[in-house]
Amino acid sequence: MMGDLRELSDEDLALRARTEPHGAFEVLFERHRGPLYNFLLRQGADAGRVDDLFQVTFFKAFRALPGFREESRFKTWLYTIAVHVLTDDRRATLRRGPTTEIRETMLVTEPELPRRDEIDLVKTALDQVPANHRRLFTLVRFQGLPIAEAAKAVGMTPAAAKVTLFRTTRRVGELLSPAREKMK
Amino acid sequence: MTCDQAELHMAELLAGEIAPAERRTLEQHLLECATCRDDFELARVGARVEWADVPVPHELIETTRASLREPPPLVRFFRWGTAAAALLGVAVLLVTSSRSIPPTPPTVAAAACASPRTDVLATMQDAVVGGLACKDEDGRPVGDLGLRSHEVSVEILDGVAKTTVEENFENHTDRRLEGTFTFPLPADASISRLALEVNGKIEEGTCLERERAKQVFESIVRRMQDPALLEWQPGGLFKCRVFPIEARATKRVIVAYTQTLPCFQGKMTYVYPLASEKTRTHPPGEVTINVLARFSGALAKIESTSHHLDVQRKDAHEASMTFRATNYRPNNDFVVALEPTEEEVRVVCHKPEGEDGYFACFATPKGGEARVPAKYTCVLDASASISAPRLEVAKRLVRAMMERRIPGDRFEVLTHSVEVTSSGEVDLRAANTFMDSIRPIGGSDVLKALEAAGPGEIVYIGKGAPTFGETETAKILEAAKGKRIRTIAVGSDANLGLLERLGGLMRITPNDDVDKRVAEIAATLGSQAVSELKVEGPNVSDVGGTRDVFYGERLVAVGRYKAAGPSKLLLSGRGYRREVDVDFPAKEEGHNPVRRLWAQRRLSDLMAQGPSKQAEITELGVKYQIMTPYTSFLVLESEQMWKDQQLKRELQKQDQLLARCTTADADLRTEVTRKVAHLLELAYRATEQRKYDRTTTLCDEILLIDPEYPVAKDLREHVEKLRHKEEYGNFTARKLDALKKLTDGDATPKIPEAEKLRIPSREQWGEVSKRLTEAVIKTESGTTVGENEGRLAVDRKLDTMKVDMAFENTKLEDVVAYLRDASGLNIVLDADVRDKVDPDKVVTYKASNLTLKDNLRSVIGPLGLDYMVTPDNVVLLTDPWKKALAEVATRDAGRRKDPLTGAEFISPTVTVKPVDPNNPAQARPGFSSQETARLDSWDVREQTFTRNVTASGAPITEALPMTVESFDYAQGIPLLGDIPMKGWLFKDGTTVDKPFGRFVGAGGTAYGLSRVEEEKAREEYRRYVMADFPGVDVEFATGSTGKMGRLQQRAGKGPLPASPDPDTVTNSTVLRFQGPQQRSADGASQTAGVEADMQIYVRQLEVQLAQIQELTTTVDEHRAKLAKSLNEKSMAVAELQYARQRAERLERDLSELEGKHVEMARDKAHLEEKVNAIVQNGANVNVAPKKALEGRVTAVALEIGLIVISIGKDDGVVEGDEFTIYRGGDIIARIVIDRADRKWAAGKIALKKGDPRVGDEVSNHIFISGPRPAFACETAVPVDESKAGLERIRTKMGLRE
């Protein structure tokens, strides 16, 4: 039975989840957990926090699944939830005030520190980009969402998303170029 | 392409989403624009970043899975009748969408993908009043808008109900909003009208072919205009975008739908879903429901079972009722029960001109065979999609059926999810036990359940939505063939397509009264269904709506007829046959709903046949204005837009019937008149209720029927005026409200640390402050405010009145008399000072523009006099000593009152006891044996007291020899305070100038004394009193009782030892102090208690005051800090601005430099070109520039034109170099070196102006006039020549001597 479900598209699965919530959602979970986990990881929180966000995102998606109306692709819908979860989390963090987490991030952004490898370099570059731009950038660059859908997920108009995306990409390039040369 | 556009396309290019045409344009732009090119290069670096995926930790997967085990809230809020809900005891679960669930924007594209999905389960919606969920222009959601009014008008014609819902939403925000109107459609209803308020006018929507509608919609949306599109969505929820909703404005949306009312045993029920969580939490401002019911047959009974309403009957066929409420929070739906008395078969026709006729056949089959014992298998859907309330309903249904069994009936209960479970043959009790164990879980395998059922009748109860095993409808139907099945659909989202075809479908929807419906359905058990029912007849076509019906159920079949005239209609089914004579009319404008009904039935038949009938469905939908999966309602802003879009609006004929029937038919005319009257009445009523929008609509409707109807015209105009007036009024009222709110907010000021402070009530404060003020005033001026206005007047005159005076050797008495006359004050020279100052003494005094006071002082001051104002308002010119005495006396009088209680302090009394009563020397006026006299002033040191005993009131100070026999301070009276301490000399040389000291609290605060003074006073008291009486010690007790100093006798209560000064004790008068408590028995102790309480209270107030002061200080500090921060912030902002300006400037400079760079580059390129040209001509340009060389001519051979110079290869001279020979700044010749040795070089003259000589300078520089001025030349150059050269240089440089 699970085999049948695996052949269905995300959207059909989401509809099927109304009658067979666990089976269908299990398949959706299997399909999306990896990319979603990495998406959250790329937003700059530490691993422990990412675990929490990951669980919350899937839990919310599972709860909200009966309300899924096929107005967007399932993937976009899921990432929209993830973006909301991230926003909520960020707000909560701001309310709590600066934590060690933030201080660590600040330490990492010290330019003098030597870079371990390319990922560190990218991380450092992305840390200097506003959170929402970072989300858009990662959605398009790493999660493979079309710009229009990524825009929907982060709540921008497609045109604004394009401009933002391009500027973010350029900024990342700008931040990376000198660092790379230094490494060489 | 501009750089901004390029940015967009570069993003697309990097994401691989760019269109080829745009790519070409972009590439062209990149070739031309260096900035964009650079940006793009950077972005390419950014786009190539790699961040490899990492696997999800295994534990995380497991924990997440575990957190998802809990079943999701699949079915939302299944509403049953309130009574039913109470009976069922089912917890109602309402799921509001979580904040993190993405808002689902009403995109057209998303809506477009919906296709008819009879196989897919529609989401069950909580059937509620339509809502308008909004967001502002920044996309921030603002929630559902409130409903100002909600009007429903229901027309039930022959059991077909048309419900028109008009909702007036109110934008309560100050922003322009965009909304999504959602409207849940009751099961088996179809939308027939959508109208929207656009620019204050109601614009009707028109049903168009879906794709076309979408196209138009999108093209208009692109132009930022405001159309609306209502599209079919699976699941019975309709959505439409509404924009703009202006700030603080209202928006009206009108939706109409038609449904055929279910009828069983002659009873019909109409339900309008009014109760919902939303209407309960946000009740609409006004709710109006008008119901009009009309039947061709008689209407035996009509009533609202949910609300108590009066029924207005017009005749036997027609009745109406109205429900009206304000801020109504509905607890139940609006339900109307109708009982028409109808013939078994009734045919109603409608025949418009130029079209085939329509007929509707209402049939209620009667009869049927008697019930016989049978085997029943109840199949219960127990899949996960069945919510608890639904399952409960199913169980109740089974129970109700079993309760109605007849002897011989056998029952079995089957449940099916993925697996099938059977109860075996059961009685009611066993069935109950079995059913109680049902737990809905998993998918639904309908076929398996049907196959598992044995012979006999199968009663299927559930959704009929197969999700497991065989899911294809056709195959299930095929497999179920030959079985006797009846189906009961539970919930509005049941798969009717399958259940209907399985046979004998009956429904229970959330809108039903569950108990009643269960009973109705149970009653059909054993009764036969008329299966394979057909409606036939000659001349009849396109019949729709036929299905299996039970005896007692009402069938609504519809069809068309071609030729008019008498005909026959045959209803036939298994075991049922009726033939009806009908006379199809040639023209019939009445019974207009039949037309729509036909289309509706026909459409649902077609839709059941699947997508292959799309063309037909679309055509019918457009023609009859019914929304289907392939047709949508489109609302445009104006009639002009329809023309612009070249769209033909299909007239909503059925809705405009009355508008068109103007002639001929007398019945119709009557009907029109009646309708107009009815509308007019409604309009007037609406006006009364100030529903001006409604009135306007109604008037418009009337004017549609009769465009010249003057009453309606006038009313409309009148209403417009009223509306304007009201809006203005509302505006003012809102403003007032806002102002009120502003001040209301301040009604409860927040006091910092209020919980810690004890704030007295207003009355208490008033009292305390009054008393404190009085006390202070008394302390300072010695008089009470308002006590002596005359005194104030005198003071004022003295202070302000100006008198000019000029006296020379005038008697003082005359001067005083003059002042008395001039001022009108009673100025008197004190008789007591006459011995000191002679009134006949002459004075010389001259002053002008001085106040009376100053004049007085100037005149009498030199005489050693002062003035005072006596209590009788006499300005007495008297001795300063006397004045001081009087002042002290007045002040003391003020002190004698407790500022808080107002009670007079009672001085201790003394008991004078002459040692020898017979000794006349000891007899003092006012003192007798054991006499208790009032002690006014007692000096402990001098052991004297002053008493006011003389007739004149003048104090007599006597030093009385005395000894204190005993102190009795057992009750801790505040005696100490009453000891006058004025003039006390402390050991440190300071004096107390306060007339009284009085201890008033355990903490030792004394009125009129500072703490230091108080401490001193205590000390003094000990020193003087106790030293004198060594047997007595004083102890100041602390505690909260407010009792003060307590004196204890150290050596028992026996008599104190004699005074230490034996001389003063000779006359041994005994003084005895007696506390006020002793003096005035019980009242006094009470006073003391109150006083003590007041003192505590005062202490508390003082503490609070201190706290408040501290807080004030803190607040001030914070304020200061804030101001500082603000200042810093503004400085920072200024700096930032400055930095920005600098950045801008730098940027500008940079761009300028870039421009220059470009120019230079261009020049360079130009030069390079030239160089290239030169190179091509054979020139060697790869010669390194020469360094500047200078030397001298060392040898000259003019005959061969050879010159030898003093520099050679070592200096950098090479063959071919050119050197110029100068003398005194003049060019003599130019040579080309043809031989270069290490130390010298020789060259031929190439240009000759003069004869070179030895000693001339050579240089490879190119100067206009030599390398150096001539005066710097070596001596080898003749002086005259040098001078001349100098002159020339000077001339050239513009210098003159």
Side-chain angles (χ1 to χ4, degrees):
Chain A
M1 185 180 144
M2 198 68 116
D4 304 343
L5 288 174
R6 286 209 171 91
E7 284 159 24
L8 292 178
S9 72
D10 282 355
E11 289 69 31
D12 286 345
L13 275 170
L15 289 171
R16 185 62 81 84
R18 290 176 188 165
T19 51
E20 234 174 292
H22 289 285
F25 197 78
E26 177 59 38
V27 179
L28 288 170
F29 178 61
E30 245 170 58
R31 275 186 204 167
H32 293 283
R33 66 189 179 206
L36 189 88
Y37 180 75
N38 280 287
F39 167 69
L40 294 172
L41 213 55
R42 283 168 186 137
Q43 302 314 309
D46 62 50
R49 197 83 211 105
V50 167
D51 287 4
D52 288 354
L53 297 173
F54 178 82
Q55 279 196 22
V56 172
T57 307
F58 271 110
F59 186 70
K60 288 201 165 172
F62 181 61
R63 293 275 303 265
L65 198 56
F68 175 71
R69 299 231 189 288
E70 272 200 276
E71 288 176 358
S72 60
R73 282 169 60 202
F74 175 80
K75 190 175 176 182
T76 314
W77 182 81
L78 182 66
Y79 279 106
T80 314
I81 293 182
V83 166
H84 283 274
V85 169
L86 278 167
T87 313
D88 285 356
D89 179 62
R90 202 178 152 78
R91 273 192 206 134
T93 313
L94 286 178
R95 266 201 303 278
R96 278 199 301 271
T99 60
T100 46
E101 209 174 292
I102 289 180
R103 263 180 257 127
E104 276 161 24
T105 324
M106 283 159 71
L107 266 182
V108 171
T109 55
E110 292 283 324
E112 295 81 23
L113 281 180
R115 299 284 151 239
R116 271 190 297 119
D117 54 14
E118 177 76 13
I119 288 187
D120 269 357
L121 214 64
V122 176
K123 261 184 200 166
T124 316
L126 285 180
D127 280 343
Q128 296 177 44
V129 168
N132 208 26
H133 298 186
R134 182 179 186 153
R135 284 173 206 151
L136 180 74
F137 179 76
T138 39
L139 279 176
V140 176
R141 198 57 59 211
F142 299 116
Q143 311 310 128
L145 250 62
I147 300 177
E149 291 191 20
K152 204 190 262 179
V154 298
M156 288 184 183
T157 64
K162 278 175 194 169
V163 173
T164 311
L165 179 65
F166 178 72
R167 290 189 182 161
T168 312
T169 318
R170 188 190 58 195
R171 176 90 184 115
V172 171
E174 220 167 63
L175 293 166
L176 281 182
S177 311
R180 275 198 178 139
E181 272 164 29
K182 216 188 245 176
M183 266 179 82
K184 277 171 198 163
Chain B
M1 181 181 283
T2 64
C3 291
D4 287 343
Q5 287 168 333
E7 257 187 342
L8 287 177
H9 293 312
M10 284 192 282
E12 288 171 348
L13 181 63
L14 289 171
E17 294 180 19
I18 195 164
E22 275 150 2
R23 188 187 176 121
R24 278 194 293 279
T25 332
L26 177 64
E27 278 166 359
Q28 187 59 40
H29 177 79
L30 285 180
L31 279 177
E32 288 159 4
C33 175
T35 320
C36 287
R37 207 161 49 230
D38 291 348
D39 281 354
F40 186 65
E41 282 310 317
L42 277 176
R44 263 169 66 173
V45 176
R48 279 200 293 264
V49 291
E50 293 292 338
W51 190 337
D53 280 2
V54 293
V56 189
H58 185 68
E59 306 83 69
L60 180 60
I61 295 176
E62 285 314 309
T63 46
T64 311
R65 266 209 190 110
S67 75
L68 300 179
R69 296 265 150 79
E70 168 198 336
L74 191 66
V75 177
R76 308 170 172 207
F77 195 63
F78 196 103
R79 287 178 320 105
W80 305 97
T82 333
L87 272 171
L88 293 169
V90 174
V92 172
L93 177 66
L94 176 77
V95 180
T96 50
S97 62
S98 150
R99 197 155 56 86
S100 284
I101 298 171
T104 45
T107 54
V108 176
C113 66
S115 58
R117 331 163 55 106
T118 45
D119 55 334
V120 177
L121 284 180
T123 324
M124 164 133 187
Q125 291 298 330
D126 177 13
V128 293
V129 169
L132 190 60
C134 287
K135 53 185 180 180
D136 64 12
E137 285 179 305
D138 299 331
R140 282 183 301 241
V142 293
D144 275 352
L145 291 193
L147 268 176
R148 181 178 271 190
S149 65
H150 183 85
E151 286 181 42
V152 183
S153 114
V154 188
E155 265 184 307
I156 304 170
L157 301 176
D158 282 325
V160 179
K162 182 185 169 196
T163 310
T164 308
V165 183
E166 181 175 337
E167 293 186 291
N168 198 0
F169 294 98
E170 187 170 20
N171 180 0
H172 52 276
T173 68
D174 289 320
R175 287 164 286 168
R176 172 194 268 209
L177 301 178
E178 176 188 335
T180 307
F181 176 70
T182 46
F183 188 81
L185 198 60
D188 76 358
S190 77
I191 288 204
S192 53
R193 183 185 174 198
L194 166 73
L196 213 68
E197 182 180 359
V198 181
N199 300 332
K201 238 177 82 190
I202 290 291
E203 282 296 334
E204 288 292 337
T206 295
C207 201
L208 291 180
E209 192 252 315
R210 187 188 179 108
E211 286 308 311
R212 179 83 182 106
K214 207 178 89 190
Q215 226 174 6
V216 174
F217 178 79
E218 283 179 345
S219 75
I220 294 168
V221 167
R222 250 179 255 129
R223 282 187 273 137
M224 299 294 288
Q225 280 163 316
D226 324 317
L229 182 69
L230 188 62
E231 286 187 318
W232 174 281
Q233 304 267 354
L237 183 78
F238 292 84
K239 279 185 176 182
C240 134
R241 176 181 169 274
V242 180
F243 177 83
I245 310 161
E246 300 295 344
R248 301 267 163 213
T250 57
K251 192 92 181 172
R252 275 185 295 162
V253 182
I254 303 172
V255 174
Y257 59 85
T258 319
Q259 71 201 114
T260 309
L261 300 184
C263 177
F264 190 74
Q265 308 285 25
K267 287 174 186 158
M268 271 179 203
T269 314
Y270 170 82
V271 180
Y272 181 71
L274 194 61
S276 79
E277 199 53 34
K278 197 158 76 185
T279 45
R280 267 192 292 274
T281 48
H282 304 291
E286 283 186 54
V287 180
T288 317
I289 304 177
N290 288 305
V291 182
L292 177 89
R294 192 163 70 235
F295 282 82
S296 311
L299 178 58
K301 190 182 155 194
I302 175 168
E303 63 167 354
S304 167
T305 54
S306 57
H307 298 73
H308 294 289
L309 297 179
D310 289 337
V311 176
Q312 278 96 42
R313 273 217 172 254
K314 189 185 161 249
D315 51 35
H317 304 274
E318 190 180 325
S320 64
M321 55 171 77
T322 303
F323 169 74
R324 196 170 287 126
T326 311
N327 289 328
Y328 177 58
R329 287 173 200 271
N331 285 320
N332 45 5
D333 294 336
F334 182 79
V335 184
V336 179
L338 306 117
E339 280 180 35
T341 46
E342 285 192 305
E343 304 142 47
E344 191 173 341
V345 180
R346 186 182 168 78
V347 179
V348 175
C349 301
H350 172 70
K351 171 82 173 76
E353 264 185 37
E355 261 187 88
D356 285 352
Y358 301 86
F359 73 86
C361 171
F362 304 100
T364 315
K366 285 177 182 157
E369 295 154 25
R371 186 172 164 180
V372 289
K375 159 91 192 288
Y376 298 99
T377 310
C378 301
V379 179
L380 264 65
D381 188 349
S383 61
S385 61
I386 291 293
S387 61
R390 282 179 222 218
L391 186 63
E392 183 60 33
V393 170
K395 287 179 189 171
R396 290 170 71 88
L397 195 55
V398 173
R399 278 182 213 128
M401 285 179 169
M402 289 181 78
E403 276 162 6
R404 292 179 63 92
R405 69 186 182 279
I406 57 164
D409 277 351
R410 287 173 301 146
F411 280 90
E412 185 187 348
V413 184
L414 280 183
T415 65
H416 81 89
S417 50
V418 175
E419 296 298 329
V420 177
T421 320
S422 167
S423 66
E425 214 172 290
V426 283
D427 58 3
L428 185 54
R429 179 179 296 191
N432 274 335
T433 319
F434 174 74
M435 288 192 297
D436 284 345
S437 67
I438 299 174
R439 299 278 173 274
I441 190 164
S444 158
D445 192 342
V446 176
L447 184 60
K448 199 172 187 180
L450 295 179
E451 279 171 346
E457 190 173 329
I458 300 169
V459 183
Y460 180 91
I461 308 169
K463 281 175 77 174
T467 56
F468 191 79
E470 187 52 69
T471 53
E472 239 178 77
T473 310
K475 286 189 182 160
I476 295 173
L477 288 174
E478 185 63 35
K481 229 173 204 176
K483 287 182 183 280
R484 276 182 67 193
I485 304 174
R486 52 188 307 197
T487 52
I488 291 130
V490 181
S492 58
D493 57 347
N495 183 5
L496 299 179
L498 173 65
L499 296 182
E500 200 165 20
R501 278 182 254 175
L502 278 172
L505 171 70
M506 296 189 94
R507 309 181 57 186
I508 307 184
T509 64
N511 296 337
D512 287 330
D513 177 341
V514 176
D515 279 345
K516 204 171 140 201
R517 188 70 186 142
V518 162
E520 278 173 12
I521 294 173
T524 63
L525 190 76
S527 75
Q528 301 294 307
V530 183
S531 56
E532 292 160 36
L533 189 71
K534 276 187 251 169
V535 178
E536 296 162 313
N539 189 19
V540 165
S541 62
D542 296 333
V543 175
T546 52
R547 58 183 177 97
D548 295 357
V549 286
F550 286 95
Y551 288 100
E553 236 191 322
R554 188 175 189 245
L555 174 82
V556 182
V558 289
R560 308 283 303 261
Y561 65 90
K562 280 200 160 51
S567 179
K568 277 192 190 312
L569 213 57
L570 177 69
L571 275 79
S572 65
R574 199 179 278 176
Y576 183 81
R577 187 186 163 86
R578 294 284 185 278
E579 216 177 71
V580 202
D581 291 325
V582 284
D583 187 4
F584 289 128
K587 191 183 172 213
E588 168 65 62
E589 294 276 17
H591 307 298
N592 148 277
V594 173
R595 184 176 183 270
R596 161 172 289 275
L597 195 60
W598 174 81
Q600 213 176 313
R601 291 271 146 182
R602 182 88 191 130
L603 277 169
S604 62
D605 284 355
L606 286 171
M607 279 190 269
Q609 290 173 40
S612 58
K613 298 284 178 188
Q614 179 176 349
E616 217 171 318
I617 295 172
T618 312
E619 195 193 346
L620 272 177
V622 172
K623 182 166 181 194
Y624 294 91
Q625 296 289 296
I626 295 172
M627 190 156 71
T628 69
Y630 311 109
T631 51
S632 309
F633 268 99
L634 181 68
V635 182
L636 294 187
E637 222 175 285
S638 62
E639 205 59 43
Q640 188 56 42
M641 280 171 84
W642 288 99
K643 283 180 195 152
D644 294 348
Q645 295 290 334
Q646 300 183 329
L647 289 173
K648 196 177 133 223
R649 291 186 80 166
E650 183 70 32
L651 283 177
Q652 297 189 4
K653 288 176 186 163
Q654 59 281 2
D655 291 331
Q656 295 175 3
L657 155 80
L658 294 171
R660 293 191 293 110
C661 56
T662 48
T663 51
D665 202 69
D667 278 355
L668 274 177
R669 195 177 287 166
T670 329
E671 202 173 339
V672 168
T673 320
R674 212 164 47 74
K675 174 98 184 173
V676 168
H678 178 64
L679 286 174
L680 199 61
E681 198 199 323
L682 285 180
Y684 275 121
R685 210 179 285 167
T687 317
E688 271 171 28
Q689 294 167 0
R690 298 191 187 174
K691 288 193 232 158
Y692 303 130
D693 290 349
R694 170 99 178 123
T695 314
T696 314
T697 321
L698 288 166
C699 287
D700 284 348
E701 271 181 51
I702 297 171
L703 292 172
L704 201 67
I705 297 168
D706 180 2
E708 297 303 318
Y709 195 64
V711 184
K713 270 184 174 174
D714 289 353
L715 184 61
R716 199 178 186 286
E717 202 171 306
H718 176 63
V719 159
E720 284 301 323
K721 279 181 195 160
L722 279 179
R723 191 214 307 267
H724 177 74
K725 223 166 148 184
E726 183 135 299
E727 269 168 13
Y728 182 73
N730 283 346
F731 175 73
T732 323
R734 263 208 303 278
K735 240 178 155 179
L736 269 175
D737 265 3
L739 283 173
K740 259 189 208 160
K741 266 183 203 154
L742 273 179
T743 49
D744 284 354
D746 291 345
T748 51
K750 278 189 186 151
I751 299 166
E753 308 279 326
E755 68 279 3
K756 288 187 196 161
L757 294 175
R758 237 186 67 193
I759 310 290
S761 70
R762 185 179 287 270
E763 291 75 24
Q764 284 171 320
W765 264 124
E767 195 60 24
V768 167
S769 57
K770 200 171 95 195
R771 287 179 183 171
L772 282 172
T773 323
E774 269 178 23
V776 169
I777 289 169
K778 271 178 198 165
T779 314
E780 286 172 356
S781 71
T783 41
T784 314
V785 173
E787 182 187 272
N788 196 344
E789 281 183 23
R791 164 71 195 258
L792 285 176
V794 172
D795 282 342
R796 206 180 301 129
K797 207 163 224 177
L798 284 170
D799 282 342
T800 55
M801 190 179 180
K802 288 183 177 167
V803 188
D804 289 342
M805 289 172 82
F807 296 104
E808 217 166 293
N809 296 327
T810 316
K811 276 187 198 170
L812 180 63
E813 206 153 32
D814 292 343
V815 174
V816 171
Y818 167 78
L819 284 173
R820 190 165 44 231
D821 293 344
S823 65
L825 293 174
N826 191 10
I827 302 173
V828 183
L829 193 65
D830 191 355
D832 291 351
V833 295
R834 278 176 194 267
D835 53 339
K836 194 175 167 188
V837 181
D838 182 7
D840 292 334
K841 187 183 162 82
V842 291
V843 290
T844 300
Y845 180 77
K846 196 174 179 181
S848 65
N849 208 24
L850 274 184
T851 57
L852 196 55
K853 191 167 75 180
D854 293 338
N855 277 326
L856 265 179
R857 280 188 180 152
S858 306
V859 174
I860 61 176
L863 304 174
L865 293 181
D866 200 354
Y867 77 86
M868 64 180 272
V869 183
T870 66
D872 324 329
N873 298 333
V874 176
V875 181
L876 197 65
L877 309 181
T878 183
D879 194 334
W881 175 83
K882 192 176 173 182
K883 181 187 174 186
L885 209 66
E887 271 173 9
V888 168
T890 327
R891 204 185 306 161
D892 290 355
R895 294 283 174 152
R896 277 166 185 278
K897 271 189 183 173
D898 189 313
L900 294 174
T901 61
E904 197 165 312
F905 291 149
I906 299 161
S907 299
T909 53
V910 287
T911 306
V912 185
K913 190 179 173 189
V915 176
D916 182 3
N918 301 322
N919 186 353
Q922 289 181 12
R924 296 282 186 276
F927 286 86
S928 61
S929 173
Q930 296 295 334
E931 185 190 357
T932 302
R934 179 78 176 267
L935 178 72
D936 288 321
S937 178
W938 178 67
D939 191 322
V940 177
R941 260 185 312 177
E942 301 300 327
Q943 297 189 347
T944 59
F945 65 88
T946 311
R947 54 194 180 100
N948 295 317
V949 285
T950 56
S952 67
I956 299 170
T957 307
E958 283 185 299
L960 287 178
M962 59 183 170
T963 182
V964 179
E965 190 181 57
S966 65
F967 289 103
D968 187 1
Y969 289 149
Q971 291 182 50
I973 51 158
L975 176 70
L976 189 60
D978 285 324
I979 296 169
M981 286 181 284
K982 185 175 168 73
W984 278 22
L985 181 71
F986 290 126
K987 281 277 154 74
D988 58 6
T990 56
T991 55
V992 177
D993 60 352
K994 305 287 190 320
F996 286 93
R998 183 165 180 269
F999 293 120
V1000 293
T1005 306
Y1007 287 127
L1009 285 186
S1010 72
R1011 272 169 195 264
V1012 177
E1013 284 174 333
E1014 175 208 325
E1015 274 308 311
K1016 281 180 183 171
R1018 281 189 196 210
E1019 193 52 39
E1020 290 295 280
Y1021 191 82
R1022 274 211 188 93
R1023 208 182 295 280
Y1024 287 96
V1025 179
M1026 296 307 130
D1028 290 349
F1029 313 108
V1032 177
D1033 195 10
V1034 66
E1035 184 193 62
F1036 292 93
T1038 57
S1040 59
T1041 56
K1043 293 184 174 176
M1044 320 308 119
R1046 171 179 288 213
L1047 295 170
Q1048 278 182 346
Q1049 212 172 319
R1050 195 196 284 157
K1053 299 215 171 189
L1056 285 163
S1059 168
D1061 184 0
D1063 295 339
T1064 56
V1065 194
T1066 44
N1067 286 333
S1068 70
T1069 303
V1070 176
L1071 265 180
R1072 188 186 177 85
F1073 284 76
Q1074 205 176 9
Q1077 275 83 355
Q1078 280 170 313
R1079 221 177 133 231
S1080 56
D1082 34 287
S1085 69
Q1086 238 174 356
T1087 318
V1090 171
E1091 198 174 26
D1093 282 350
M1094 278 315 283
Q1095 283 157 359
I1096 296 170
Y1097 188 43
V1098 168
R1099 284 286 299 156
Q1100 282 168 344
L1101 282 180
E1102 279 168 355
V1103 172
Q1104 287 170 7
L1105 186 67
Q1107 284 173 341
I1108 290 172
Q1109 275 167 352
E1110 204 174 303
L1111 283 171
T1112 316
T1113 322
T1114 321
V1115 168
D1116 285 347
E1117 273 169 24
H1118 281 298
R1119 221 174 252 161
K1121 270 187 204 162
L1122 183 69
K1124 203 178 148 199
S1125 311
L1126 280 175
N1127 195 21
E1128 277 169 7
K1129 190 194 154 199
S1130 67
M1131 272 167 70
V1133 167
E1135 263 174 29
L1136 183 70
Q1137 275 174 348
Y1138 176 63
R1140 259 195 207 136
Q1141 281 171 1
R1142 261 186 61 192
E1144 273 171 20
R1145 215 168 35 238
L1146 285 174
E1147 244 170 32
R1148 229 178 9 250
D1149 290 352
L1150 186 67
S1151 65
E1152 263 174 37
L1153 285 175
E1154 273 171 359
K1156 276 183 190 163
H1157 178 74
V1158 169
E1159 242 171 62
M1160 283 167 74
R1162 204 187 298 129
D1163 288 354
K1164 189 186 158 207
H1166 187 65
L1167 287 172
E1168 274 173 354
E1169 267 176 32
K1170 280 187 177 170
V1171 170
N1172 284 341
I1174 294 167
V1175 170
Q1176 275 167 8
N1177 289 336
N1180 179 15
V1181 292
N1182 294 328
V1183 184
K1186 281 283 167 194
K1187 65 174 183 181
L1189 295 172
E1190 283 173 17
R1192 300 257 170 209
V1193 175
T1194 47
V1196 178
L1198 283 175
E1199 59 281 11
I1200 53 167
L1202 189 75
I1203 307 289
V1204 181
I1205 59 173
S1206 64
I1207 45 179
K1209 263 184 187 165
D1210 283 0
D1211 301 298
V1213 181
V1214 288
E1215 281 145 10
D1217 277 0
E1218 273 190 10
F1219 278 87
T1220 314
I1221 300 172
Y1222 302 90
R1223 192 187 307 136
D1226 280 351
I1227 295 170
I1228 305 299
R1230 179 165 277 241
I1231 57 169
V1232 179
I1233 305 297
D1234 53 8
R1235 169 128 190 241
D1237 210 296
R1238 280 185 60 212
K1239 295 286 179 196
W1240 57 270
K1244 288 233 170 89
I1245 293 173
L1247 180 86
K1248 191 175 161 189
K1249 279 192 165 176
D1251 287 341
R1253 296 181 206 154
V1254 173
D1256 281 352
E1257 289 170 33
V1258 288
S1259 169
N1260 62 353
H1261 279 274
I1262 302 162
F1263 289 115
I1264 296 169
S1265 53
R1268 276 193 296 254
F1271 52 79
C1273 279
E1274 296 290 317
T1275 44
V1277 179
V1279 174
D1280 56 338
E1281 282 186 25
S1282 298
K1283 271 185 182 168
L1286 187 66
E1287 270 312 308
R1288 275 195 292 279
I1289 289 166
R1290 279 191 172 150
T1291 315
K1292 276 186 184 168
M1293 289 173 73
L1295 295 172
R1296 291 276 177 274
E1297 268 183 314

